[in-house]
Amino acid sequence: MTDEQIVYLNGEFMPLAEARVPVLDRGFIFGDGVYEVAPVYGRVPFRWTQHHARLVRNLGKLRIDDPMDAAGWRGLVDALVARHPWDDQFVYVQVTRGVAKRDHAFPKGVRPTVFAMSSPLPPIPAEQIELGVATITLPDERWLHCDIKSISLLGNVLARQAAVDAGAAECVMFRDGWLTEGSSSNVWVVRDGRVLAPPRDNLILEGIRYGLLEALCAAEGVPFEVRPIARDEVTSADELMLSSATKEVLPITRLDGRPVGAGVPGPVYRRLHAAYQRAKAASTAEAAGRAAR
Ligand code: PDD
């Protein structure tokens, strides 16, 4: 957050400090809305098509009218990026069901509230790439629609705080003994040179990096297997990794105070990290090529 930040609220651009939402907004009262976080590298939104598709899917799941078409969303993201000086940014977009008298059932004839902002994307600390991050295991106490990128994030907030209280960067959650994900990231297990991914069901958010890592594994010739992953396969993994829009892909080198595998970032992580950097560079190069044509 910076003083000069310009945000978008319901059709208008304004300084962040001037953006106001009525207290009866259902986002404030019920957490009734969805959001997206998309990274921007070299002023080019990365995998925006996929982020937009997930936003549209989530709005549909909550039966909130999509306030804009695809070109409208893209125009909004591009306009926000253009208004700020940072080459690398991350765009946050939130749509709530709108403002209405407090009543749990959906109100009729209400316009969704649309909010969007872009912030400087903090560089990933070199030590996290070189040494990895520490995590703790936690029972997944969230609801059964974790596939929806809902702004109701209390379960995720409590899980992240438990990790922070334990001096860790993130948690690795399990439901009934099966791996789900982190508080704000997907979690990947490496065993015998294979990347194991938990199923894309209602128990995890399918990150935009889920499809990306699958594609990068295919390109690198790393076997990628989607299946339920038991707790002991995680605690005895060769490597663990996490991914998110703002963290890219990071090695997890400690779990509950114990080293993961050799306790240092492993070879599969290093390959995928390098492939991720190439994908970022390709995205900006492609956009520059399009602009030159
Ligand atoms: N979080 N799982 C959860 C619960 C998440 O909140 C996120 C992302 C992911 C990874 O998704 P993606 O690759 O699309 O970022 C998985 C964002 C960054 C956030 O809430 O800030």
Side-chain angles (χ1 to χ4, degrees), residues 176-241:
D176 302 327
W178 301 98
L179 172 67
T180 56
E181 58 183 343
S183 68
S184 66
S185 55
N186 288 119
V187 173
W188 312 91
V189 177
V190 180
R191 295 180 67 89
D192 303 323
R194 310 171 81 75
V195 172
L196 306 182
R200 288 169 257 226
D201 56 17
N202 61 312
L203 301 183
I204 67 162
L205 181 80
E206 182 183 343
I208 299 311
R209 268 128 292 277
Y210 195 119
L212 177 59
L213 283 197
E214 190 173 19
L216 296 180
C217 282
E220 293 289 308
V222 175
F224 184 92
E225 195 179 326
V226 178
R227 64 165 174 82
I229 303 163
R231 188 185 173 101
D232 64 343
E233 295 182 285
V234 177
T235 52
S236 64
D238 300 327
E239 298 179 40
L240 294 178
M241 303 179 288

Side-chain angles (χ1 to χ4, degrees), residues 15-145:
L16 176 62
E18 288 172 22
R20 296 274 182 279
V21 180
V23 290
L24 284 182
D25 192 283
R26 288 179 63 99
F28 183 61
I29 295 284
F30 292 122
D32 185 0
V34 295
Y35 75 108
E36 272 301 322
V37 176
V40 174
Y41 301 121
R43 314 196 70 80
V44 181
F46 186 63
R47 301 226 132 195
W48 172 252
T49 309
Q50 290 85 346
H51 281 281
H52 171 256
R54 183 170 68 184
L55 177 63
V56 172
R57 246 181 5 250
N58 282 311
L59 288 169
K61 285 177 185 180
L62 297 192
R63 291 195 277 150
I64 295 176
D65 287 340
D66 188 349
M68 275 176 251
D69 61 11
W73 280 116
R74 180 64 200 226
L76 167 53
V77 167
D78 286 344
L80 270 178
V81 170
R83 277 172 185 268
H84 296 106
W86 321 295
D87 281 347
D88 292 352
Q89 309 183 18
F90 68 98
V91 172
Y92 176 89
V93 169
Q94 173 173 319
V95 182
T96 76
R97 200 177 301 279
V99 181
K101 182 169 139 310
R102 186 179 181 277
D103 179 359
H104 289 63
F106 298 170
K108 291 203 173 64
V110 165
R111 212 164 33 97
T113 300
V114 184
F115 171 66
M117 64 181 168
S118 193
S119 312
L121 182 65
I124 317 266
E127 75 206 44
Q128 293 193 347
I129 295 168
E130 282 149 26
L131 303 175
V133 296
T135 57
I136 59 164
T137 59
L138 284 181
D140 194 336
E141 296 178 341
R142 301 172 303 160
W143 69 332
L144 294 173
H145 293 288

